[in-house]
Amino acid sequence: MAFCLLFASALPQNARAEGEPAEAFVKQLRNAGYFDTAIMYLDRAEKMPGVDSSFVAAIPLEKAQTYIETALHSRNPDDRDKAFADAEAALQEFLKRESHPRQSEARLQLGKLQMIRAAQLLAGEPVETEKRQARESYLAAAKTFDGIVSDLRGKLESMRGQKIDPEKDPDAAALRDQYRFEFLQSQLNAADAIKLAAKTYADPAKDGKAQLEDAVKRFEELNGKYATYSPGAIALSHLGDLNELLGKSDAALDNYLRMLEEPAVDQLREAKFMSAAGVIRLKLAADPPAYQEAIDRTANWVKEIRPNEESLPVVQEFRIQLAKAYLAKAADDSLKKGEIGRAKSEGRDLLRAASKVPGPHVEEAKAMLADLGIEQEAEALPTAEPPSSFDDAMEKATQVLTVTSDLEEALKVIQAQKQTPELKQQIEDIQKQIDESYRIGVQVLRGGLAMVTSETNIESLNQARQILAYFLYQSKRLRETVVVGNFLARHAPGTELGLKGGLMALTSMQLLLAEVPDDDNEGLILQLESLGKFLAKTWPDDPNAAAAQGLQIRLLLKKDDFDGAQKLIDDMAAGSERASFKRLLGQLLWNQSIVARTQENDDAKSEMLMDRAKQNLQAGLDEIEGNLIEVEGMQAATVLAKIHLMQQDSAAALKVLDHPKYGPLEWITKLGAQSEAFAGELYSTELKALVGQMLASDTPDKYLDRMTATMEKLRKAYQGEESQTRLTQTYMRLANDLKEQLDTATPARKVKLIEAFRVMLQRISDATNDNATLRWVGQTLMSMGEASMDQGQVKATGQAADLLAQAVETFKSLPDQDNPTTAYLLGLAQRLMGEYKDSIDTFDKLLQQKPLMLEAQVEAAQAYESWAGTLPPNIAYKAYRAALEGARPGKDKKNVIWGWAEISSKTSKMINRNENFKEKFFESRYHVALCLYLMGKAGKRDDDIKKAIKVIREAATLFPDLGGQKRRAEYDALMKEAQRSVGQNPVGIAKPQPNGN
């Protein structure tokens, strides 16, 4: 207690005056495990000046939270029961204050407390009486949560009618968000409590079936309605557990796998571990056990376990289940000895990790280890005689330092040797001794610091604090390190001891930031910023302290506070560090400009961010001192070149890439690429710049040699199957860019460019057998052929037909005819050439394998439509119907080629997902109307034309913009033509006809 009070006194003195940060301080005390100190502070807080009145009113709630955490950390059953009782009493006292805005939070806490007490009753080996009491407590918790749901449902419904604007009324919006969170969390907790109540029966599937089915219904409703919120997603893992209990293995496996496929967000991590364990159980229950499937699907999660998750019960369950999968593999005599040995080793490591965490799982883990011939000794907590004085504590702490130093040196020597099972065990034993020594050191120094008197030498006192901070840091007790180190830095300014303490606190805060979810780290970031500024100001000449300024910049960048970071960077002294930060800021601003353009559709903002990115990148590259030796500099230069390309300045892009000081094309040959992705990105950027220069030059053929060489470097940069996919995507983007440029070129210039590209393509084609490169040659020929066609022309002629014929020949020569990209490009080229039957045959074969390939479905429908335009009227009618309704029935009697109507139907359901679905919807809907109109014309059927008018009118009513100005003009023109054909006034889509036709 003396130690706790000692560091409580380290708070700034003005914290006791106006604006007392009571809530933050109590939270910090709880996080550090100083529960008694927190209760003492809360007892006095009501009388302290400057404490917010709303916090004073919530003191019982804060006490309840503190008591609950006290109970959870207590090893003494009597102390734990008392803490739970105190927590419940504090909650009941608070709930009497009906007007407090944190009422629902308190009820939520009460429900959680009822669940915790039920879990405590089931700890160990509960008798039937304890099981019944736990069941009643769980059901009482469910009732508490249901009450919260009922209350909040009404509040949320009333808020829905208020149409709250977050910008105008942020407090109301925040309250609504709080209510929504508590509403969903309470539904999740109520269903979970009912599930746990059922599990208290000896045979839950029989005796608790009604409760299990009730829980299933609740979780299904929660997931069905609120799957985009964390509680709705988490419901999947509970459904898996319930279905597993009810013997519905297939449904359970589906639930677990869907949970694992949810987005990687912190709130879902425990549910994912729970689901991973469930997947393993179900796979091992198969006949024969599918141990490899279980391992392949879940083993990657071992590496994902975070430090703050090491002791979670769900993680231990996951470890044990995965260990069972590995041991099942080790028992398979058909495998090679090496595989069996590795599987056994993996299982052993998982069981050892689980056995070190206290809990009901330990007995099972140790039993499994014993089966492997490994006996676990019970770990005893280290003890030390209480020091007789402060000096005695310092002497013992110094001894601990000496012992741990020797042990760590021995550990380094052993770790450098080739690892064997015996050496691994020796390493574990030494590490255990080191950990025990640190714990003894902490215990001794805490006792010594409690004996400090007015006569204690201040330098010795600070030295003790520095050693304590070191012991705490080495023990990974980061929050306590922050408290001690921060105190030491501020009370020993300008000294080496103060600097060491401050740097340990700073490092601990950084490590904590990696563990704490972003939503909960605001206070930690503010504390880190404050300490960083203090260190940089107090020790301005020390490079370690000055680095704190860089840390502040990184924190601002992490929060996307680019203006704040820019100011700090601009205020830095000139040098390599400032240049590095400018390059970093430039790359982040570039990323934000892409977000603004692609996700926010804000071109003005994107352009502004791009300009700022360009200025910072250029300055950061120009300020490089000496020779560039960092790959990061190459990356910054590549981004700068990409910005120039975005701004249509290919000459400036090439100038950056070729720069004698920082040009990445030169440096990549000296430093080597850090990744295949970077090399590919660099050479594709160079290729785009060269294409831009060719398009801008009067003598484009002078770039042929360099372009050919760059193509070869790009091809060599990508290796392997997955890499070939990325290379293909790069080539396709390049071909599309070329087509867009050719579309805007003058006829004379287009001829010159096409000829230059034909020479280059022929040269590349003759020099390589690489499928992706040859596919790009064919696509580029096709792009040039399409660009050579007149506007509105359906079938190519002249030079366009020659280019397309070469493209078809190139695609047909490729050995990978089953490759979807090859098949798609071949079918498209055949359609543009007017080889409609061949095109449809190609798409038919492709779509039998890839029925959901939307681009291929669109092209197949277009092929039927274009073909119909070349046929006699009676046959054309059938072809237009095929384009509209689909064709080529498959084995299931459903059309392999969907047709425009089915494309329109499917994309209408996904119109809000992304721009591609939106564009395809409006395109297909237009062609539905167009085919109806053309069918009516071919068959002389006014009814079909009137259907076309109705389709357009319905689309214009639901979506007035019809996909944009250009597409709307097409709809309008077709509407007028259709109206004219049936004798209506051709007013287009401006207004509906009175008769509704």
Side-chain angles (χ1 to χ4, degrees):
M1 178 61 71
F3 176 76
C4 299
L5 293 176
L6 175 65
F7 289 104
S9 67
L11 288 175
Q13 293 302 309
N14 59 5
R16 299 285 188 247
E18 184 177 356
E20 167 75 14
E23 186 173 0
F25 182 48
V26 169
K27 187 175 182 180
Q28 184 178 5
L29 288 172
R30 283 201 296 256
N31 289 340
Y34 301 144
F35 306 121
D36 291 344
T37 307
I39 293 295
M40 291 172 61
Y41 180 83
L42 288 167
D43 285 337
R44 300 198 307 268
E46 187 172 359
K47 299 177 182 178
M48 289 181 181
V51 177
D52 189 271
S53 59
S54 64
F55 179 81
V56 172
I59 284 176
L61 182 57
E62 294 292 340
K63 280 187 175 182
Q65 178 62 41
T66 308
Y67 284 132
I68 291 172
E69 294 192 28
T70 301
L72 294 175
H73 286 79
S74 176
R75 297 190 176 202
N76 185 298
D78 294 335
D79 292 343
R80 183 171 59 240
D81 290 344
K82 184 179 183 305
F84 278 135
D86 289 341
E88 187 167 356
L91 284 170
Q92 296 291 1
E93 178 188 345
F94 180 79
L95 286 171
K96 295 175 183 177
R97 308 177 184 186
E98 298 180 356
S99 61
H100 199 283
R102 295 176 70 183
Q103 277 281 314
S104 56
E105 179 188 341
R107 286 188 295 177
L108 196 64
Q109 196 69 272
L110 178 60
K112 289 180 181 177
L113 177 58
Q114 290 167 324
M115 292 185 71
I116 290 171
R117 298 201 70 173
Q120 292 294 331
L121 286 165
L122 296 173
E125 297 181 2
V127 297
E128 194 58 40
T129 303
E130 290 172 322
K131 289 181 180 179
R132 187 180 67 255
Q133 291 174 343
R135 189 182 313 131
E136 291 170 354
S137 189
Y138 278 132
L139 294 176
K143 188 174 180 181
T144 299
F145 291 128
D146 282 341
I148 299 172
V149 172
S150 178
D151 178 49
L152 291 179
R153 180 177 282 114
K155 290 180 178 179
L156 287 168
E157 286 176 355
S158 66
M159 284 183 163
R160 189 180 303 158
Q162 297 172 15
K163 297 181 179 179
I164 297 171
D165 186 336
E167 293 185 2
K168 295 180 180 178
D169 195 350
D171 291 340
L175 183 61
R176 178 191 59 194
D177 292 342
Q178 176 191 334
Y179 284 166
R180 183 185 292 121
F181 167 77
E182 292 170 359
F183 173 72
L184 296 176
Q185 192 64 41
S186 296
Q187 289 188 63
L188 182 71
N189 290 343
D192 188 27
I194 292 171
K195 179 188 78 171
L196 292 171
K199 283 188 171 186
T200 61
Y201 289 108
D203 186 353
K206 178 182 177 183
D207 301 326
K209 186 176 181 181
Q211 288 153 337
L212 292 177
E213 290 176 345
D214 182 16
V216 168
K217 182 179 178 182
R218 288 167 178 257
F219 282 124
E220 285 179 342
E221 182 178 358
L222 182 60
N223 179 255
K225 291 183 178 180
Y226 305 104
T228 56
Y229 292 91
S230 295
I234 291 170
L236 284 170
S237 63
H238 290 284
L239 282 169
D241 188 24
L242 286 162
N243 281 317
E244 192 176 350
L245 277 171
L246 291 167
K248 300 177 181 178
S249 300
D250 291 343
L253 184 60
D254 178 64
N255 296 141
Y256 288 141
L257 291 174
R258 285 172 60 196
M259 182 69 245
L260 292 177
E261 290 167 1
E262 286 289 324
V265 295
D266 290 344
Q267 295 91 328
L268 305 184
R269 289 183 63 79
E270 287 194 39
K272 285 177 179 282
F273 279 117
M274 175 180 167
S275 296
V279 168
I280 299 169
R281 283 195 303 272
L282 293 170
K283 292 292 183 182
L284 293 182
D287 187 16
Y291 60 78
Q292 193 59 50
E293 290 182 30
I295 292 170
D296 292 343
R297 191 64 185 81
T298 65
N300 62 302
W301 275 88
V302 175
K303 299 177 182 178
E304 298 287 329
I305 299 172
R306 297 174 179 175
N308 63 318
E309 296 170 339
E310 284 286 347
S311 60
L312 291 177
V314 290
V315 171
Q316 313 325 313
E317 172 66 12
F318 164 66
R319 282 170 166 160
I320 288 175
Q321 294 303 326
L322 184 56
K324 290 179 180 178
Y326 277 117
L327 296 181
K329 182 176 182 178
D332 189 343
D333 295 335
S334 66
L335 300 177
K336 295 179 181 178
K337 287 185 178 180
E339 285 185 274
I340 291 173
R342 284 192 295 273
K344 189 176 292 186
S345 176
E346 292 285 357
R348 181 174 58 242
D349 290 345
L350 286 163
L351 291 171
R352 277 179 171 162
S355 66
K356 292 178 181 179
V357 180
H361 64 278
V362 171
E363 186 175 345
E364 182 180 8
K366 288 185 175 180
M368 292 173 68
L369 283 168
D371 290 341
L372 291 171
I374 302 169
E375 294 291 342
Q376 291 279 305
E377 294 182 3
E379 292 191 32
L381 290 173
T383 59
E385 288 293 324
S388 58
S389 64
F390 172 76
D391 291 337
D392 183 35
M394 281 296 290
E395 183 178 346
K396 289 182 176 179
T398 304
Q399 291 175 354
V400 171
L401 273 176
T402 303
V403 170
T404 54
S405 178
D406 291 343
L407 288 171
E408 286 168 349
E409 288 300 319
L411 193 61
K412 288 179 183 177
V413 173
I414 296 174
Q415 288 174 332
Q417 300 175 21
K418 184 178 180 180
Q419 296 297 292
T420 64
E422 292 75 16
L423 275 183
K424 282 186 177 180
Q425 184 60 52
Q426 194 174 351
I427 290 170
E428 286 185 15
D429 292 340
I430 293 176
Q431 188 61 58
K432 180 180 176 181
Q433 293 178 53
I434 292 172
D435 294 340
E436 289 177 345
S437 299
Y438 285 140
R439 286 197 286 268
I440 291 173
V442 170
Q443 185 177 340
V444 167
L445 280 174
R446 279 181 166 174
L449 285 167
M451 298 178 182
V452 169
T453 67
S454 58
E455 297 179 358
T456 303
N457 180 276
I458 189 65
E459 186 174 346
S460 297
L461 181 58
N462 285 335
Q463 186 177 7
R465 289 167 178 155
Q466 189 263 320
I467 295 173
L468 176 60
Y470 173 76
F471 285 162
L472 290 168
Y473 177 78
Q474 291 296 99
S475 302
K476 296 182 174 59
R477 295 160 71 167
L478 300 178
R479 296 186 185 279
E480 294 170 86
T481 309
V482 170
V483 175
V484 180
N486 191 11
F487 176 86
L488 181 57
R490 296 183 186 276
H491 285 74
T495 67
E496 185 178 355
L497 289 172
L499 176 59
K500 287 180 178 179
L503 291 174
M504 277 190 283
L506 201 67
T507 304
S508 297
M509 290 182 196
Q510 287 180 270
L511 294 172
L512 283 170
L513 280 175
E515 299 177 8
V516 178
D518 290 344
D519 295 342
D520 299 332
N521 67 10
E522 184 176 353
L524 189 61
I525 288 177
L526 291 173
Q527 193 177 0
L528 197 153
E529 289 177 349
S530 172
L531 179 59
K533 290 177 183 177
F534 176 79
L535 294 178
K537 181 180 179 181
T538 309
W539 289 273
D541 298 326
D542 189 282
N544 291 318
Q549 188 176 23
L551 181 58
Q552 293 175 60
I553 294 171
R554 287 188 175 88
L555 284 171
L556 290 171
L557 292 176
K558 184 177 181 181
K559 295 190 295 184
D560 293 342
D561 185 356
F562 300 118
D563 293 336
Q566 184 82 66
K567 185 177 185 306
L568 285 179
I569 293 170
D570 292 341
D571 290 343
M572 291 178 74
S576 60
E577 189 174 13
R578 184 178 74 174
S580 175
F581 274 118
K582 283 187 176 181
R583 296 193 297 273
L584 174 61
L585 177 59
Q587 293 184 70
L588 292 174
L589 288 167
W590 157 250
N591 292 337
Q592 288 299 115
S593 74
I594 294 174
V595 171
R597 185 178 71 253
T598 59
Q599 298 181 18
E600 300 173 10
N601 295 318
D602 191 337
D603 291 340
K605 179 181 177 182
S606 176
E607 195 63 36
M608 179 271 291
L609 289 168
M610 203 179 299
D611 284 337
R612 285 184 61 185
K614 182 167 69 174
Q615 292 169 11
N616 277 281
L617 287 167
Q618 189 65 67
L621 291 167
D622 289 340
E623 292 175 18
I624 289 174
E625 298 175 345
N627 289 328
L628 176 66
I629 57 172
E630 297 292 339
V631 172
E632 167 269 323
M634 290 199 301
Q635 295 170 335
T638 304
V639 171
L640 179 58
K642 290 165 72 174
I643 292 175
H644 284 307
L645 287 176
M646 285 289 294
Q647 297 181 338
Q648 307 300 315
D649 193 344
S650 56
L654 274 181
K655 185 178 179 181
V656 171
L657 296 174
D658 293 334
H659 197 279
K661 183 178 181 181
Y662 52 73
L665 290 172
E666 174 69 20
W667 280 101
I668 196 172
T669 62
K670 297 177 180 179
L671 300 179
Q674 293 299 294
S675 68
E676 174 187 284
F678 173 69
E681 191 70 21
L682 173 60
Y683 292 129
S684 64
T685 302
E686 179 189 13
L687 202 57
K688 290 177 184 178
L690 289 169
V691 170
Q693 285 297 91
M694 284 187 73
L695 293 168
S697 175
D698 291 331
T699 55
D701 53 336
K702 72 178 184 181
Y703 294 97
L704 287 177
D705 288 341
R706 181 168 178 178
M707 280 199 70
T708 305
T710 302
M711 287 285 294
E712 182 61 17
K713 287 186 288 185
L714 180 62
R715 186 182 67 80
K716 288 181 178 179
Y718 290 107
Q719 299 294 327
E721 183 178 347
E722 191 173 326
S723 301
Q724 287 296 299
T725 300
R726 288 200 291 270
L727 177 61
T728 299
Q729 292 170 346
T730 300
Y731 283 156
M732 291 184 73
R733 286 195 298 270
L734 194 64
N736 290 332
D737 290 344
L738 173 61
K739 180 181 180 301
E740 290 176 5
Q741 295 286 347
L742 290 174
D743 285 341
T744 59
T746 62
R749 184 165 187 73
K750 187 181 294 185
V751 170
K752 184 181 290 187
L753 288 168
I754 286 175
E755 186 55 36
F757 272 100
R758 285 182 78 163
V759 173
M760 181 191 71
L761 293 173
Q762 187 61 52
R763 189 184 300 178
I764 293 171
S765 182
D766 292 342
T768 184
N769 292 319
D770 179 69
N771 286 345
T773 304
L774 290 172
R775 193 182 299 118
W776 176 81
V777 168
Q779 187 181 6
T780 305
L781 288 165
M782 184 177 70
S783 296
M784 293 192 299
E786 192 174 2
S788 300
M789 296 170 66
D790 295 333
Q791 187 174 3
Q793 186 179 3
V794 176
K795 180 179 178 180
T797 57
Q799 185 188 43
D802 290 340
L803 291 165
L804 287 166
Q806 291 180 51
V808 168
E809 183 181 349
T810 302
F811 293 138
K812 286 184 175 180
S813 70
L814 292 173
D816 61 343
Q817 289 298 299
D818 290 333
N819 181 285
T821 303
T822 300
Y824 170 78
L825 294 173
L826 174 60
L828 175 56
Q830 289 170 326
R831 178 181 71 76
L832 292 171
M833 284 189 67
E835 297 176 353
Y836 300 119
K837 184 180 184 305
D838 290 344
S839 174
I840 291 168
D841 288 343
T842 300
F843 285 124
D844 181 20
K845 183 180 178 183
L846 169 60
L847 290 170
Q848 286 182 41
Q849 304 300 320
K850 296 279 186 180
L852 299 180
M853 190 173 178
L854 184 59
E855 299 291 343
Q857 290 287 4
V858 168
E859 288 301 329
Q862 184 62 65
Y864 268 115
E865 184 182 306
S866 299
W867 192 10
T870 67
L871 300 171
N874 60 327
I875 302 176
Y877 187 89
K878 294 180 180 179
Y880 283 127
R881 182 177 290 279
L884 176 65
E885 299 177 357
R888 300 290 180 96
K891 295 179 180 179
D892 59 358
K893 307 302 182 183
K894 294 181 180 179
N895 287 333
V896 173
I897 296 174
W898 294 344
W900 292 119
E902 184 68 8
I903 295 171
S904 173
S905 175
K906 280 185 162 54
T907 54
S908 69
K909 300 170 185 175
M910 299 180 285
I911 192 171
N912 294 319
R913 289 194 181 181
N914 59 45
E915 285 299 314
N916 183 52
F917 285 131
K918 182 179 179 181
E919 180 185 340
K920 290 296 183 288
F921 167 73
F922 286 113
E923 177 186 1
S924 59
R925 204 66 187 152
Y926 169 78
H927 282 278
V928 167
L930 178 61
C931 283
L932 284 167
Y933 168 73
L934 294 172
M935 284 167 60
K937 295 289 286 183
K940 298 180 180 180
R941 295 164 58 99
D942 285 356
D943 286 347
D944 287 331
I945 298 176
K946 289 179 179 179
K947 287 179 184 178
I949 294 172
K950 184 179 180 182
V951 167
I952 297 172
R953 182 171 296 134
E954 287 175 348
T957 302
L958 293 171
F959 310 99
D961 71 330
L962 291 172
Q965 187 175 356
K966 181 179 178 181
R967 183 67 72 185
R968 194 176 194 280
E970 292 178 346
Y971 273 97
D972 188 58
L974 178 58
M975 181 72 147
K976 290 177 180 176
E977 189 62 33
Q979 289 168 333
R980 192 178 291 113
S981 296
V982 294
Q984 294 180 9
N985 186 16
V987 296
I989 58 176
K991 58 183 179 180
Q993 293 294 298
N995 61 5
N997 290 330

